[in-house]
């Protein structure tokens, strides 16, 4: 089956079961999945029941697609995502993004847990993603182009929408939530980085590092979605952190930051919706 055929089968299955048009789609990262339970849930689908849908195997990543209203705004929320390190190709890993687009979502709100590289960052802080480096992972657009979604050589000069960034900055100020900003770099994982790699990423202009998001953003831009993203800095990156990294630490920090994160996301969704 081609990637397009996989997507079509997946869309047909979901459309036959879900009578809901999301305007904003949200992908929840490690430890941040609780947000999906805070919305007015209308319908849910388990990833494992959706044909061709990649299923996460990582602890801390629930696998559900949730449709409902966030303060009246129709949203689709991915409670958990899959990562390339689970063995999926980048094309497989972005199928959910393309599905969300086909269901009608105009905006993709990306969230993740990430390691902090920028000087002065602290675990538990948030970073507004202003740009990204995806050069260390293969492109999700590799292979035959899906012309129905977008062009062969899509422009990536404004992956993260400037107007959405402005909205989120304002929301953070008004809600008194400190918000750093910077460039997200995606690695293939699953191993955390070495200190030398982190020094390299810093030299290259990266402020936070993670194992998701950049390929999703590329797929979403390819099909014309408007994107915004927030990283929860769950730990300081290797060599900056005084102790070895662990998934437990990442999850714990994200859990702790969750209430503030939920406030930031909820208010941002309302403000973003008002300009759509
Ligand atoms: N590196 C890569 N991915 C991550 C990290 C990190 O330090 N923290 C959370 N996700």
């Amino acid at each position: 089956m081609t990637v397009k055929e996989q997507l079509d089968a997946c869309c047909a299955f979901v459309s036959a079961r879900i009578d809901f048009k999301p305007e904003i789609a949200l992908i929840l990262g490690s430890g941040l999945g609780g947000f999906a339970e805070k919305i007015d849930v209308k319908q849910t689908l388990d990833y494992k029941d959706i044909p061709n849908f990649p299923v996460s195997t990582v602890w801390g990543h629930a696998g559900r697609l949730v449709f409902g209203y966030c303060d009246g705004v129709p949203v689709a929320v991915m409670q958990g995502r899959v990562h390339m390190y689970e063995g999926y190709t980048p094309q497989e890993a972005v199928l959910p993004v393309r599905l969300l687009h086909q269901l009608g979502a105009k905006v993709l709100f990306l969230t993740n847990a990430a390691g902090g590289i920028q000087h002065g960052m602290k675990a538990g802080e948030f970073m507004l993603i202003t740009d990204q480096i995806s050069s260390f992972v293969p492109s999700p657009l590799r292979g035959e182009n899906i012309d129905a979604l977008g062009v062969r050589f899509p422009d990536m000069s404004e992956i993260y929408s400037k107007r959405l960034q402005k909205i989120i900055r304002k929301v953070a100020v008004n809600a008194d939530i400190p918000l750093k900003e910077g460039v997200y770099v995606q690695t293939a994982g699953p191993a955390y980085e070495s200190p030398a790699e982190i020094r390299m990423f810093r030299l290259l202009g990266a402020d936070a590092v993670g194992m998701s998001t950049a390929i999703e953003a590329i797929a979403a831009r390819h099909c014309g979605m408007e994107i915004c993203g927030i990283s929860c800095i769950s730990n300081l990156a290797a060599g900056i952190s005084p102790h070895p990294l662990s998934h437990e630490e990442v999850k714990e920090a994200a859990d702790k930051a969750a209430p503030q994160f939920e406030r930031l996301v909820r208010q941002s969704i309302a403000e973003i919706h008002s300009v759509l």
Side-chain angles (χ1 to χ4, degrees), residues 28-32 81 83 111-115 184 208-213 230-235 247 250-251 254:
L28 300 175
S30 310
L32 305 171
R81 59 151 65 83
H83 300 81
T111 73
N112 57 50
Y184 176 93
V209 57
M211 303 173 193
S212 64
T213 302
I230 298 176
S231 291
C232 170
I233 303 302
S234 54
N235 57 282
H247 186 56
V250 168
K251 226 187 110 346

Side-chain angles (χ1 to χ4, degrees), residues 115 192-193 198 235-239 241-250:
Y192 291 113
E193 303 69 36
I198 294 301
N235 57 282
L236 297 181
S241 173
H243 51 263
L245 311 190
S246 70
H247 186 56
E248 286 74 11
E249 175 194 3
V250 168

Side-chain angles (χ1 to χ4, degrees), residues 59-184:
W59 164 69
H61 301 251
R64 263 187 348 151
L65 195 49
V66 178
F67 298 89
Y69 294 91
C70 179
D71 296 331
V73 181
V75 296
V77 184
M78 279 187 66
Q79 198 173 20
R81 59 151 65 83
V82 295
H83 300 81
M84 281 171 52
Y85 60 72
E86 294 175 72
Y88 292 107
T89 64
Q91 291 83 349
E92 287 166 340
V94 302
L95 178 129
V97 168
R98 289 170 161 166
L99 168 70
L100 292 165
H101 167 259
Q102 298 293 81
L103 295 177
K106 297 187 209 75
V107 167
L108 180 63
F109 198 139
L110 292 163
T111 73
N112 57 50
I117 298 177
Q118 189 183 93
H119 287 294
M121 255 176 187
K122 292 193 281 293
E125 285 185 327
F126 301 106
M127 185 188 89
L128 176 69
I129 307 176
T130 55
D131 204 349
Q132 68 180 33
I133 297 171
S134 66
S135 319
F136 299 96
V137 289
S139 171
L141 308 182
R142 206 179 127 103
E144 192 182 343
N145 185 52
I146 305 176
D147 295 333
L149 294 181
V151 297
R152 171 78 290 188
F153 301 107
D155 173 63
M156 293 287 148
S157 48
E158 190 182 322
I159 299 178
Y160 297 88
S161 160
K162 290 218 163 66
R163 69 171 189 151
L164 300 189
Q165 288 181 43
K166 211 163 142 188
I167 288 171
I168 295 173
R169 265 185 216 112
K170 202 166 132 201
V171 166
V173 169
N174 290 340
D176 206 17
I177 298 173
L179 186 64
K180 296 266 159 87
E181 49 186 84
V183 174
Y184 176 93

